[in-house]
Amino acid sequence: MQHIKNENIAQLLMQMRFMPEKQRRKQLNAAEKLLTIIDNKKQYPFDFVCFHITEFNPKIPTEQQLINGDELAGDLQIFIAKLSSQFTMSAAEQKQKVYSIEELAAKFEVATKTIHRWRKRGLIARKFIFQDGKKRFGFLQSSIDNFLKANPSTITKAKKFTRLTNKEKQKIIKQAATLAKNRRMSKYQIIEKISTKTGKAHETIRYTILNYEKQYPDKPVFNSSANTIDPTQAAKLYKMFKQGCNITELMERFGRSKSSIYRIINIKRAKMLMAKKIDFIASDEFLNKNAGKEILAKLTRWQKSTIKKNNLPSKHLQALKNTPVLNRDDEIRWFKKYNYLKYLTWHICKNINLSHVSGREIKKAENYLAKAETIKKMIIEANMRLVVSIANKHTISGANLFDLVSEGNFSLMRAVEKFDYAKGFRFSTYASWVIAKDFARKIPTDKLKAAKETADYPANIQRDFRIEPAVDFAAIERAQKNLIEVIRDNLDKREQYIILNHFGLLGTLVKKKKKTLKQIGDNLDLSKERIRQLELIALQKLRQVLGTEEFELLTS
């Protein structure tokens, strides 16, 4: 049983149950007239629908959400069918001819399925009682005439679906088998060629071949092996395409049609996209209607500048001093754009259907991902001095500057992926902690490589970067000490113990001595849940006295 999707139209139908039959008949005619003027590509308010059917505006204010034309047409079809079923209408008593579905199909020599398709395209049906006493769908002659007038080519196309004789079927099978030997033609192209030659519909030819192959599975018209491609061939085809091989050459090499080649390439591109792990920081802004225009603004000249590769050979270190630094507004704008592009890519990948891959959608996702990668490189380059500044602090223990910068570069890349710009903190603060933690974990002091004493250049670079205005690692250490003083001035002994130990403020900056809530609870002879409650109380106190960045320094 079909149901009306729009709640207001469904409610209008329910209200009509209590109206006189004469009025309902009048409204039924009005609903049919309205259906004939609906444009599927437009949108309509409910007030418009209600007035055309009842000649009154709704007494109770309704939400003025516009109804899409195609949805409205579907609802009106159901509305008319259900309204007409509310009172008895005999097909024989009508002033004009009424056709049942079977009679109409016989009249135009088409299948009953075709009549149902016509209904979806606007052929109006009412419920009538026919001579057998049963109530079912019927079509008034006037409704049929109006439909044919609006769709003049409908009958011509529909007659192509007429039943074939056995002789015609055998001829089609023979033609298809002959053409199938030519591997340069796809199955679709073969069917289309036979359709053009015989004047029969494409679907008629397809079903004829399909039914034959079901009846004779040992005598397939199309060789299945000729219409499939194994993963190795697909990979080779895609590789040749990426290397610049044109489509015509690929068609000749693999014996496939142009559409088949593009389908294989698009499926391969889709699989490669789906295999990527696309993480992004979500935001409610991404769901706004105008998010694309607001977030993806045009790039300025500096922002379009070429991004250098960050593999950090010696000759590039000196150039970092001249790299522009992102201010707070720059950071927010670029991180928002970076994550929005990845969100758009993720949204496309989520809806990919490998059975029907859209080359346009795949290309769109690839472009989004490429732009996001460009922005990521720009952000990394703008923060490379931060990596060098922190790496310099560790060279005193015998570490090689370039080994440290290489490791710090990976940490910086990971920080870009995980940074939440919406919290309002500076990226440099967050990245400093990530880099410092990774130095402590990945390059312990006893395993650091000895510095190369023969190279004077790194030493000069170190001196250059010590005077650069990048984030000072020592300043973060001083901030941590100030933070501890604030904690001791504003919290009681128990709260101090919980905060200092849980957030590791008693250890060094790169090697924190943290304790779990359970460990703290065991030390204080309290449950883990009670420690959690006390920690929340303490954090609320600190939130009142700490600035935004200081509080982030504590909880990061």
Side-chain angles (χ1 to χ4, degrees):
M1 177 68 69
Q2 290 182 307
H3 298 282
I4 296 173
K5 294 179 181 178
N6 187 275
E7 293 182 4
N8 292 326
I9 297 176
Q11 186 67 28
L12 179 62
L13 177 64
M14 189 177 295
Q15 293 171 0
M16 289 183 175
R17 289 179 177 273
F18 307 101
M19 296 179 180
E21 183 174 320
K22 183 179 180 180
Q23 188 174 354
R24 279 182 287 166
R25 287 180 182 273
K26 182 180 178 181
Q27 291 170 344
L28 177 63
N29 293 330
E32 287 188 354
K33 186 177 180 180
L34 173 61
L35 182 58
T36 61
I37 64 172
I38 294 297
D39 186 340
N40 288 349
K41 296 180 181 179
K42 292 184 179 180
Q43 293 182 315
Y44 300 87
F46 175 70
D47 286 358
F48 171 85
V49 178
C50 184
F51 182 80
H52 273 74
I53 295 176
T54 65
E55 296 183 354
F56 293 99
N57 285 318
K59 293 181 180 180
I60 302 174
T62 58
E63 294 183 9
Q64 285 302 305
Q65 186 176 5
L66 296 177
I67 310 170
N68 291 331
D70 55 347
E71 294 179 5
L72 176 58
D75 279 352
L76 284 176
Q77 284 275 13
I78 302 170
F79 181 94
I80 292 167
K82 290 193 173 186
L83 181 58
S84 62
S85 67
Q86 289 182 8
F87 38 81
T88 303
M89 288 195 300
S90 172
E93 294 176 359
Q94 301 304 310
K95 296 180 180 179
Q96 52 184 299
K97 172 70 175 175
V98 177
Y99 294 87
S100 66
I101 291 178
E102 292 76 15
E103 289 172 340
L104 191 60
K107 174 180 174 64
F108 293 110
E109 299 179 352
V110 297
T112 54
K113 287 183 179 180
T114 302
I115 304 300
H116 289 296
R117 284 196 293 269
W118 288 357
R119 284 194 61 209
K120 292 180 180 180
R121 292 177 56 186
L123 177 59
I124 298 172
R126 292 186 181 186
K127 285 287 185 72
F128 294 96
I129 297 177
F130 288 85
Q131 290 183 347
D132 57 6
K134 293 182 179 180
K135 183 181 288 188
R136 56 184 186 271
F137 284 117
F139 305 88
L140 293 169
Q141 182 66 56
S142 58
S143 297
I144 298 169
D145 293 340
N146 290 333
F147 175 74
L148 295 178
K149 186 178 180 181
N151 302 273
S153 62
T154 296
I155 301 299
T156 306
K157 290 181 179 179
K159 285 189 175 181
K160 289 184 178 181
F161 286 90
T162 52
R163 292 184 178 182
L164 301 172
T165 64
N166 289 332
K167 187 176 180 179
E168 288 175 322
K169 290 179 182 178
Q170 290 174 4
K171 187 177 180 180
I172 288 171
I173 299 301
K174 188 176 179 180
Q175 287 178 332
T178 303
L179 291 172
K181 293 178 182 179
N182 179 4
R183 294 184 61 186
R184 291 188 62 181
M185 290 186 69
S186 67
K187 186 175 181 179
Y188 180 89
Q189 289 173 321
I190 291 172
I191 293 173
E192 192 63 26
K193 186 170 183 177
I194 297 173
S195 173
T196 304
K197 189 174 181 179
T198 60
K200 303 297 181 182
H202 182 102
E203 285 298 286
T204 301
I205 306 298
R206 189 173 76 85
Y207 277 114
T208 300
I209 296 171
L210 183 65
N211 291 332
Y212 173 83
E213 290 184 327
K214 285 182 179 179
Q215 189 176 358
Y216 303 100
D218 57 330
K219 299 178 181 179
V221 175
F222 298 105
N223 186 352
S224 58
S225 62
N227 289 286
T228 58
I229 186 169
D230 61 64
T232 305
Q233 283 183 308
K236 187 176 181 180
L237 188 154
Y238 183 72
K239 184 178 180 181
M240 291 176 65
F241 172 75
K242 293 292 287 184
Q243 290 174 344
C245 187
N246 63 46
I247 299 299
T248 304
E249 291 175 9
L250 293 174
M251 289 168 61
E252 293 176 356
R253 176 72 179 269
F254 293 91
R256 296 183 174 277
S257 65
K258 188 175 183 179
S259 60
S260 178
I261 294 294
Y262 276 118
R263 184 174 63 253
I264 294 166
I265 291 171
N266 288 336
I267 289 174
K268 185 67 176 176
R269 290 164 65 197
K271 287 182 177 179
M272 291 176 69
L273 268 176
M274 293 168 72
K276 293 180 183 291
K277 185 179 180 182
I278 303 173
D279 293 327
F280 60 92
I281 304 300
S283 172
D284 291 340
E285 291 182 88
F286 299 168
L287 304 178
N288 293 340
K289 187 176 180 181
N290 297 321
K293 290 183 179 179
E294 294 172 358
I295 298 175
L296 300 180
K298 291 183 179 180
L299 306 181
T300 64
R301 183 180 300 177
W302 175 75
Q303 293 158 353
K304 282 184 178 178
S305 62
T306 303
I307 306 298
K308 299 180 181 69
K309 293 183 178 179
N310 293 313
N311 43 13
L312 289 171
S314 304
K315 63 182 180 180
H316 286 160
L317 283 173
Q318 189 71 40
L320 292 177
K321 292 193 298 180
N322 301 321
T323 304
V325 178
L326 296 175
N327 59 35
R328 183 183 292 273
D329 292 337
D330 289 336
E331 282 185 359
I332 293 173
R333 185 173 69 252
W334 282 108
F335 273 102
K336 184 187 297 184
K337 186 175 295 187
Y338 171 64
N339 284 283
Y340 182 62
L341 286 166
K342 291 203 294 181
Y343 161 76
L344 293 175
T345 307
W346 169 82
H347 192 269
I348 291 175
C349 291
K350 184 184 69 169
N351 295 306
I352 287 177
N353 181 355
L354 291 177
S355 300
H356 303 283
V357 178
S358 168
R360 181 179 297 177
E361 289 297 298
I362 296 299
K363 185 177 181 180
K364 194 185 294 184
E366 290 172 340
N367 288 339
Y368 288 150
L369 210 54
K371 289 179 182 178
E373 191 62 25
T374 299
I375 293 173
K376 180 181 178 180
K377 288 180 180 179
M378 183 270 292
I379 294 172
I380 290 171
E381 186 179 67
N383 287 277
M384 277 306 302
R385 281 178 293 181
L386 174 64
V387 177
V388 178
S389 177
I390 298 174
N392 275 326
K393 307 299 179 182
H394 292 74
T395 55
I396 57 175
S397 57
N400 181 281
L401 175 64
F402 297 109
D403 287 342
L404 288 171
V405 170
S406 179
E407 289 294 336
N409 191 26
F410 286 114
S411 302
L412 182 62
M413 291 178 185
R414 190 163 56 256
V416 173
E417 293 283 342
K418 300 297 182 182
F419 179 65
D420 190 347
Y421 66 89
K423 290 184 176 180
F425 309 124
R426 291 304 303 269
F427 173 68
S428 56
T429 303
Y430 174 74
S432 296
W433 280 94
V434 173
I435 295 167
K437 288 177 182 178
D438 285 352
F439 278 175
R441 184 176 69 254
K442 291 184 178 181
I443 315 178
T445 305
D446 56 27
K447 292 185 180 180
L448 290 174
K449 296 180 181 180
K452 295 180 180 179
E453 298 177 358
T454 57
D456 294 331
Y457 181 73
N460 294 331
I461 294 299
Q462 291 175 32
R463 286 194 293 273
D464 288 340
F465 278 105
R466 287 193 184 102
I467 63 174
E468 287 298 320
V471 173
D472 190 350
F473 196 63
I476 298 177
E477 292 177 330
R478 290 194 297 272
Q480 178 172 305
K481 291 178 182 178
N482 294 335
L483 183 59
I484 293 173
E485 291 178 7
V486 173
I487 290 172
R488 287 175 175 163
D489 290 341
N490 292 274
L491 302 179
D492 61 36
K493 295 288 184 181
R494 188 168 58 177
E495 291 169 343
Q496 289 178 34
Y497 184 85
I498 293 171
I499 295 297
L500 292 173
N501 283 279
H502 189 215
F503 292 102
L505 298 178
L506 297 178
T508 63
L509 182 61
V510 296
K511 196 171 183 179
K512 293 184 176 183
K513 294 179 181 179
K514 288 187 176 183
K515 289 184 179 181
T516 65
L517 295 179
K518 188 177 185 308
Q519 289 172 331
I520 296 172
D522 292 341
N523 293 340
L524 297 179
D525 197 22
L526 295 170
S527 68
K528 177 181 175 181
E529 186 56 37
R530 180 54 180 161
I531 295 298
R532 192 191 307 279
Q533 294 171 358
L534 292 171
E535 182 186 63
L536 289 174
I537 293 171
L539 289 174
Q540 288 173 359
K541 290 180 181 178
L542 292 174
R543 193 70 186 87
Q544 302 301 319
V545 295
L546 292 176
T548 301
E549 292 190 7
E550 290 174 316
F551 191 76
E552 169 65 8
L553 182 64
L554 167 65
T555 57
S556 63

